[in-house]
Amino acid sequence: DTAVSQTPKYLVTQMGNDKSIKCEQNLGHDTMYWYKQDSKKFLKIMFSYNNKELIINETVPNRFSPKSPDKAHLNLHINSLELGDSAVYFCASRSVGTGELFFGEGSRLTVL
Amino acid sequence: AQTVTQSQPEMSVQEAETVTLSCTYDTSESDYYLFWYKQPPSRQMILVIRQEAYKQQNATENRFSVNFQKAAKSFSLKISDSQLGDAAMYFCAYRSANAGNMLTFGGGTRLMVKP
């Protein structure tokens, strides 16, 4: 009964590969996010979707493409992976009432 | 754009003592929300406490309380009776009530608790 779940939790891959991270929330929230946490623990917003529509797209390389098939899912696809993409990627969804973000457990991506 | 600053990269506290983590933010808005999140070694981000800017009363959740100074744009977190399980990264975050819906995070403070 995990509220926000991400898969995979860990991903190790070679430069140049394409990979995807999936996210699902069972909280009934309309808004979902992807955040990137770098090696210095800094958390930066990447994308935000509201009811399957993109509403925030920060300065992120276009190798990153989010997809929201329905409001409970927000997947992140990354093409042509680079060393600098190594990070922990967090999915989150937002409660309308409190504004609180509920986070997944994060997906640690390591690019070799 | 809003910015959130946590000036203490690391803090240390003795078990059972009290510690205060600092956070300042920059905004031109009057209506917003502030949060403290905890990230233990398990990596999970956990909400500790939330404050609405329109409320003058400081939020409190058990051993956790905030000192919200709106004019000074300061939002510090006080942890009383510190426990070993409080050891974690703590992130201060800001969200506008008007435009957009993303959380802007500070750089984090690593809290160590000494037995």
Side-chain angles (χ1 to χ4, degrees), chain A residues 27-48:
Chain A
L27 297 167
H29 295 162
D30 288 339
T31 305
M32 296 183 71
Y33 306 82
W34 277 107
Y35 276 84
K36 179 181 180 181
Q37 186 175 42
D38 63 23
S39 58
K40 295 183 179 175
K41 302 293 186 184
F42 188 69
L43 276 155
K44 186 171 167 54
I45 182 75
M46 298 176 70
F47 302 102
S48 173

PDB file of all heavy atoms in Angstrom, chain A residues 27-48:
ATOM      1  N   LEU A  27      -2.737   7.905  -4.404  1.00  0.00           N
ATOM      2  CA  LEU A  27      -3.322   8.878  -3.476  1.00  0.00           C
ATOM      3  C   LEU A  27      -4.451   9.683  -4.101  1.00  0.00           C
ATOM      4  O   LEU A  27      -5.070  10.504  -3.423  1.00  0.00           O
ATOM      5  CB  LEU A  27      -2.221   9.827  -2.985  1.00  0.00           C
ATOM      6  CG  LEU A  27      -1.107   9.150  -2.199  1.00  0.00           C
ATOM      7  CD1 LEU A  27       0.078  10.082  -2.033  1.00  0.00           C
ATOM      8  CD2 LEU A  27      -1.612   8.703  -0.841  1.00  0.00           C
ATOM      9  N   GLY A  28      -4.659   9.505  -5.395  1.00  0.00           N
ATOM     10  CA  GLY A  28      -5.703  10.266  -6.069  1.00  0.00           C
ATOM     11  C   GLY A  28      -5.330  11.714  -6.337  1.00  0.00           C
ATOM     12  O   GLY A  28      -6.183  12.546  -6.633  1.00  0.00           O
ATOM     13  N   HIS A  29      -4.041  12.039  -6.230  1.00  0.00           N
ATOM     14  CA  HIS A  29      -3.586  13.410  -6.478  1.00  0.00           C
ATOM     15  C   HIS A  29      -3.583  13.716  -7.971  1.00  0.00           C
ATOM     16  O   HIS A  29      -3.376  12.831  -8.809  1.00  0.00           O
ATOM     17  CB  HIS A  29      -2.171  13.618  -5.920  1.00  0.00           C
ATOM     18  CG  HIS A  29      -2.104  13.507  -4.435  1.00  0.00           C
ATOM     19  ND1 HIS A  29      -0.919  13.298  -3.762  1.00  0.00           N
ATOM     20  CD2 HIS A  29      -3.067  13.601  -3.476  1.00  0.00           C
ATOM     21  CE1 HIS A  29      -1.163  13.264  -2.458  1.00  0.00           C
ATOM     22  NE2 HIS A  29      -2.462  13.442  -2.259  1.00  0.00           N
ATOM     23  N   ASP A  30      -3.797  15.005  -8.271  1.00  0.00           N
ATOM     24  CA  ASP A  30      -3.797  15.429  -9.674  1.00  0.00           C
ATOM     25  C   ASP A  30      -2.410  15.831 -10.176  1.00  0.00           C
ATOM     26  O   ASP A  30      -2.156  15.835 -11.372  1.00  0.00           O
ATOM     27  CB  ASP A  30      -4.740  16.630  -9.866  1.00  0.00           C
ATOM     28  CG  ASP A  30      -6.208  16.236  -9.765  1.00  0.00           C
ATOM     29  OD1 ASP A  30      -6.512  15.034  -9.952  1.00  0.00           O
ATOM     30  OD2 ASP A  30      -7.049  17.109  -9.497  1.00  0.00           O
ATOM     31  N   THR A  31      -1.540  16.243  -9.267  1.00  0.00           N
ATOM     32  CA  THR A  31      -0.258  16.817  -9.675  1.00  0.00           C
ATOM     33  C   THR A  31       0.893  15.914  -9.268  1.00  0.00           C
ATOM     34  O   THR A  31       0.965  15.456  -8.131  1.00  0.00           O
ATOM     35  CB  THR A  31      -0.063  18.208  -9.034  1.00  0.00           C
ATOM     36  OG1 THR A  31      -1.187  19.025  -9.363  1.00  0.00           O
ATOM     37  CG2 THR A  31       1.199  18.867  -9.557  1.00  0.00           C
ATOM     38  N   MET A  32       1.785  15.689 -10.217  1.00  0.00           N
ATOM     39  CA  MET A  32       2.958  14.853  -9.971  1.00  0.00           C
ATOM     40  C   MET A  32       4.199  15.574 -10.461  1.00  0.00           C
ATOM     41  O   MET A  32       4.133  16.464 -11.315  1.00  0.00           O
ATOM     42  CB  MET A  32       2.815  13.491 -10.666  1.00  0.00           C
ATOM     43  CG  MET A  32       1.668  12.656 -10.116  1.00  0.00           C
ATOM     44  SD  MET A  32       1.547  11.031 -10.866  1.00  0.00           S
ATOM     45  CE  MET A  32       2.996  10.204 -10.176  1.00  0.00           C
ATOM     46  N   TYR A  33       5.340  15.165  -9.903  1.00  0.00           N
ATOM     47  CA  TYR A  33       6.612  15.845 -10.171  1.00  0.00           C
ATOM     48  C   TYR A  33       7.740  14.837 -10.356  1.00  0.00           C
ATOM     49  O   TYR A  33       7.677  13.715  -9.843  1.00  0.00           O
ATOM     50  CB  TYR A  33       7.018  16.715  -8.969  1.00  0.00           C
ATOM     51  CG  TYR A  33       6.001  17.705  -8.497  1.00  0.00           C
ATOM     52  CD1 TYR A  33       4.966  17.317  -7.648  1.00  0.00           C
ATOM     53  CD2 TYR A  33       6.080  19.039  -8.858  1.00  0.00           C
ATOM     54  CE1 TYR A  33       4.028  18.225  -7.194  1.00  0.00           C
ATOM     55  CE2 TYR A  33       5.152  19.956  -8.399  1.00  0.00           C
ATOM     56  CZ  TYR A  33       4.135  19.539  -7.567  1.00  0.00           C
ATOM     57  OH  TYR A  33       3.209  20.447  -7.115  1.00  0.00           O
ATOM     58  N   TRP A  34       8.779  15.327 -11.034  1.00  0.00           N
ATOM     59  CA  TRP A  34      10.077  14.680 -10.980  1.00  0.00           C
ATOM     60  C   TRP A  34      11.087  15.699 -10.450  1.00  0.00           C
ATOM     61  O   TRP A  34      11.155  16.837 -10.933  1.00  0.00           O
ATOM     62  CB  TRP A  34      10.546  14.193 -12.358  1.00  0.00           C
ATOM     63  CG  TRP A  34       9.965  12.877 -12.732  1.00  0.00           C
ATOM     64  CD1 TRP A  34       8.994  12.622 -13.659  1.00  0.00           C
ATOM     65  CD2 TRP A  34      10.306  11.593 -12.174  1.00  0.00           C
ATOM     66  NE1 TRP A  34       8.704  11.288 -13.713  1.00  0.00           N
ATOM     67  CE2 TRP A  34       9.498  10.628 -12.818  1.00  0.00           C
ATOM     68  CE3 TRP A  34      11.215  11.163 -11.204  1.00  0.00           C
ATOM     69  CZ2 TRP A  34       9.566   9.271 -12.519  1.00  0.00           C
ATOM     70  CZ3 TRP A  34      11.288   9.813 -10.912  1.00  0.00           C
ATOM     71  CH2 TRP A  34      10.474   8.884 -11.565  1.00  0.00           C
ATOM     72  N   TYR A  35      11.848  15.255  -9.436  1.00  0.00           N
ATOM     73  CA  TYR A  35      12.945  16.040  -8.888  1.00  0.00           C
ATOM     74  C   TYR A  35      14.229  15.252  -9.090  1.00  0.00           C
ATOM     75  O   TYR A  35      14.241  14.025  -9.042  1.00  0.00           O
ATOM     76  CB  TYR A  35      12.758  16.276  -7.382  1.00  0.00           C
ATOM     77  CG  TYR A  35      11.861  17.441  -7.031  1.00  0.00           C
ATOM     78  CD1 TYR A  35      10.471  17.295  -6.983  1.00  0.00           C
ATOM     79  CD2 TYR A  35      12.395  18.688  -6.733  1.00  0.00           C
ATOM     80  CE1 TYR A  35       9.657  18.361  -6.646  1.00  0.00           C
ATOM     81  CE2 TYR A  35      11.587  19.758  -6.387  1.00  0.00           C
ATOM     82  CZ  TYR A  35      10.218  19.582  -6.357  1.00  0.00           C
ATOM     83  OH  TYR A  35       9.411  20.633  -6.030  1.00  0.00           O
ATOM     84  N   LYS A  36      15.329  15.994  -9.239  1.00  0.00           N
ATOM     85  CA  LYS A  36      16.649  15.379  -9.326  1.00  0.00           C
ATOM     86  C   LYS A  36      17.452  15.802  -8.098  1.00  0.00           C
ATOM     87  O   LYS A  36      17.509  16.995  -7.767  1.00  0.00           O
ATOM     88  CB  LYS A  36      17.375  15.837 -10.599  1.00  0.00           C
ATOM     89  CG  LYS A  36      18.773  15.273 -10.763  1.00  0.00           C
ATOM     90  CD  LYS A  36      19.423  15.791 -12.043  1.00  0.00           C
ATOM     91  CE  LYS A  36      20.830  15.244 -12.217  1.00  0.00           C
ATOM     92  NZ  LYS A  36      21.480  15.759 -13.454  1.00  0.00           N
ATOM     93  N   GLN A  37      18.067  14.820  -7.429  1.00  0.00           N
ATOM     94  CA  GLN A  37      18.942  15.130  -6.298  1.00  0.00           C
ATOM     95  C   GLN A  37      20.361  14.755  -6.666  1.00  0.00           C
ATOM     96  O   GLN A  37      20.668  13.588  -6.904  1.00  0.00           O
ATOM     97  CB  GLN A  37      18.508  14.386  -5.030  1.00  0.00           C
ATOM     98  CG  GLN A  37      19.309  14.794  -3.790  1.00  0.00           C
ATOM     99  CD  GLN A  37      18.796  14.155  -2.512  1.00  0.00           C
ATOM    100  OE1 GLN A  37      18.453  12.984  -2.482  1.00  0.00           O
ATOM    101  NE2 GLN A  37      18.739  14.934  -1.446  1.00  0.00           N
ATOM    102  N   ASP A  38      21.233  15.756  -6.702  1.00  0.00           N
ATOM    103  CA  ASP A  38      22.616  15.502  -7.131  1.00  0.00           C
ATOM    104  C   ASP A  38      23.464  14.977  -5.979  1.00  0.00           C
ATOM    105  O   ASP A  38      22.970  14.755  -4.869  1.00  0.00           O
ATOM    106  CB  ASP A  38      23.220  16.764  -7.757  1.00  0.00           C
ATOM    107  CG  ASP A  38      23.310  17.915  -6.778  1.00  0.00           C
ATOM    108  OD1 ASP A  38      23.337  17.680  -5.550  1.00  0.00           O
ATOM    109  OD2 ASP A  38      23.342  19.071  -7.234  1.00  0.00           O
ATOM    110  N   SER A  39      24.751  14.809  -6.253  1.00  0.00           N
ATOM    111  CA  SER A  39      25.638  14.196  -5.264  1.00  0.00           C
ATOM    112  C   SER A  39      25.813  15.070  -4.022  1.00  0.00           C
ATOM    113  O   SER A  39      26.186  14.579  -2.960  1.00  0.00           O
ATOM    114  CB  SER A  39      27.003  13.910  -5.879  1.00  0.00           C
ATOM    115  OG  SER A  39      27.556  15.110  -6.378  1.00  0.00           O
ATOM    116  N   LYS A  40      25.524  16.356  -4.144  1.00  0.00           N
ATOM    117  CA  LYS A  40      25.597  17.252  -2.990  1.00  0.00           C
ATOM    118  C   LYS A  40      24.252  17.378  -2.292  1.00  0.00           C
ATOM    119  O   LYS A  40      24.069  18.244  -1.439  1.00  0.00           O
ATOM    120  CB  LYS A  40      26.083  18.636  -3.430  1.00  0.00           C
ATOM    121  CG  LYS A  40      27.504  18.607  -3.956  1.00  0.00           C
ATOM    122  CD  LYS A  40      27.998  19.980  -4.331  1.00  0.00           C
ATOM    123  CE  LYS A  40      29.438  19.899  -4.828  1.00  0.00           C
ATOM    124  NZ  LYS A  40      29.944  21.184  -5.318  1.00  0.00           N
ATOM    125  N   LYS A  41      23.330  16.528  -2.665  1.00  0.00           N
ATOM    126  CA  LYS A  41      22.006  16.436  -2.026  1.00  0.00           C
ATOM    127  C   LYS A  41      21.066  17.565  -2.434  1.00  0.00           C
ATOM    128  O   LYS A  41      19.989  17.687  -1.858  1.00  0.00           O
ATOM    129  CB  LYS A  41      22.098  16.403  -0.488  1.00  0.00           C
ATOM    130  CG  LYS A  41      22.931  15.264   0.037  1.00  0.00           C
ATOM    131  CD  LYS A  41      22.273  13.945  -0.242  1.00  0.00           C
ATOM    132  CE  LYS A  41      23.003  12.797   0.407  1.00  0.00           C
ATOM    133  NZ  LYS A  41      22.417  11.495   0.049  1.00  0.00           N
ATOM    134  N   PHE A  42      21.461  18.382  -3.406  1.00  0.00           N
ATOM    135  CA  PHE A  42      20.586  19.471  -3.808  1.00  0.00           C
ATOM    136  C   PHE A  42      19.428  18.929  -4.629  1.00  0.00           C
ATOM    137  O   PHE A  42      19.631  18.175  -5.581  1.00  0.00           O
ATOM    138  CB  PHE A  42      21.366  20.506  -4.615  1.00  0.00           C
ATOM    139  CG  PHE A  42      20.585  21.737  -4.897  1.00  0.00           C
ATOM    140  CD1 PHE A  42      20.250  22.614  -3.888  1.00  0.00           C
ATOM    141  CD2 PHE A  42      20.150  22.024  -6.186  1.00  0.00           C
ATOM    142  CE1 PHE A  42      19.507  23.749  -4.142  1.00  0.00           C
ATOM    143  CE2 PHE A  42      19.398  23.151  -6.450  1.00  0.00           C
ATOM    144  CZ  PHE A  42      19.082  24.012  -5.436  1.00  0.00           C
ATOM    145  N   LEU A  43      18.204  19.329  -4.263  1.00  0.00           N
ATOM    146  CA  LEU A  43      16.994  18.862  -4.937  1.00  0.00           C
ATOM    147  C   LEU A  43      16.506  19.918  -5.915  1.00  0.00           C
ATOM    148  O   LEU A  43      16.227  21.057  -5.527  1.00  0.00           O
ATOM    149  CB  LEU A  43      15.888  18.624  -3.910  1.00  0.00           C
ATOM    150  CG  LEU A  43      15.900  17.278  -3.210  1.00  0.00           C
ATOM    151  CD1 LEU A  43      15.225  17.382  -1.869  1.00  0.00           C
ATOM    152  CD2 LEU A  43      15.228  16.211  -4.062  1.00  0.00           C
ATOM    153  N   LYS A  44      16.357  19.519  -7.164  1.00  0.00           N
ATOM    154  CA  LYS A  44      15.935  20.488  -8.177  1.00  0.00           C
ATOM    155  C   LYS A  44      14.751  19.941  -8.957  1.00  0.00           C
ATOM    156  O   LYS A  44      14.766  18.796  -9.403  1.00  0.00           O
ATOM    157  CB  LYS A  44      17.102  20.770  -9.127  1.00  0.00           C
ATOM    158  CG  LYS A  44      16.817  21.867 -10.125  1.00  0.00           C
ATOM    159  CD  LYS A  44      18.074  22.235 -10.887  1.00  0.00           C
ATOM    160  CE  LYS A  44      17.774  23.103 -12.113  1.00  0.00           C
ATOM    161  NZ  LYS A  44      17.000  24.295 -11.788  1.00  0.00           N
ATOM    162  N   ILE A  45      13.732  20.781  -9.121  1.00  0.00           N
ATOM    163  CA  ILE A  45      12.550  20.380  -9.882  1.00  0.00           C
ATOM    164  C   ILE A  45      12.939  20.185 -11.352  1.00  0.00           C
ATOM    165  O   ILE A  45      13.743  20.934 -11.904  1.00  0.00           O
ATOM    166  CB  ILE A  45      11.439  21.451  -9.768  1.00  0.00           C
ATOM    167  CG1 ILE A  45      10.163  21.033 -10.523  1.00  0.00           C
ATOM    168  CG2 ILE A  45      11.924  22.799 -10.268  1.00  0.00           C
ATOM    169  CD1 ILE A  45       9.362  19.984  -9.825  1.00  0.00           C
ATOM    170  N   MET A  46      12.368  19.144 -11.948  1.00  0.00           N
ATOM    171  CA  MET A  46      12.573  18.898 -13.371  1.00  0.00           C
ATOM    172  C   MET A  46      11.272  19.151 -14.126  1.00  0.00           C
ATOM    173  O   MET A  46      11.212  19.935 -15.064  1.00  0.00           O
ATOM    174  CB  MET A  46      13.034  17.466 -13.596  1.00  0.00           C
ATOM    175  CG  MET A  46      14.352  17.127 -12.957  1.00  0.00           C
ATOM    176  SD  MET A  46      14.759  15.389 -13.175  1.00  0.00           S
ATOM    177  CE  MET A  46      15.113  15.340 -14.926  1.00  0.00           C
ATOM    178  N   PHE A  47      10.238  18.429 -13.711  1.00  0.00           N
ATOM    179  CA  PHE A  47       8.956  18.504 -14.413  1.00  0.00           C
ATOM    180  C   PHE A  47       7.814  18.464 -13.410  1.00  0.00           C
ATOM    181  O   PHE A  47       7.937  17.897 -12.339  1.00  0.00           O
ATOM    182  CB  PHE A  47       8.764  17.309 -15.364  1.00  0.00           C
ATOM    183  CG  PHE A  47       9.822  17.164 -16.407  1.00  0.00           C
ATOM    184  CD1 PHE A  47      10.821  16.218 -16.276  1.00  0.00           C
ATOM    185  CD2 PHE A  47       9.807  17.968 -17.538  1.00  0.00           C
ATOM    186  CE1 PHE A  47      11.796  16.066 -17.238  1.00  0.00           C
ATOM    187  CE2 PHE A  47      10.777  17.831 -18.510  1.00  0.00           C
ATOM    188  CZ  PHE A  47      11.780  16.878 -18.361  1.00  0.00           C
ATOM    189  N   SER A  48       6.677  19.047 -13.840  1.00  0.00           N
ATOM    190  CA  SER A  48       5.457  18.911 -13.083  1.00  0.00           C
ATOM    191  C   SER A  48       4.306  18.671 -14.046  1.00  0.00           C
ATOM    192  O   SER A  48       4.214  19.331 -15.083  1.00  0.00           O
ATOM    193  CB  SER A  48       5.195  20.167 -12.260  1.00  0.00           C
ATOM    194  OG  SER A  48       3.921  20.095 -11.654  1.00  0.00           O
TER     195      SER A  48
END
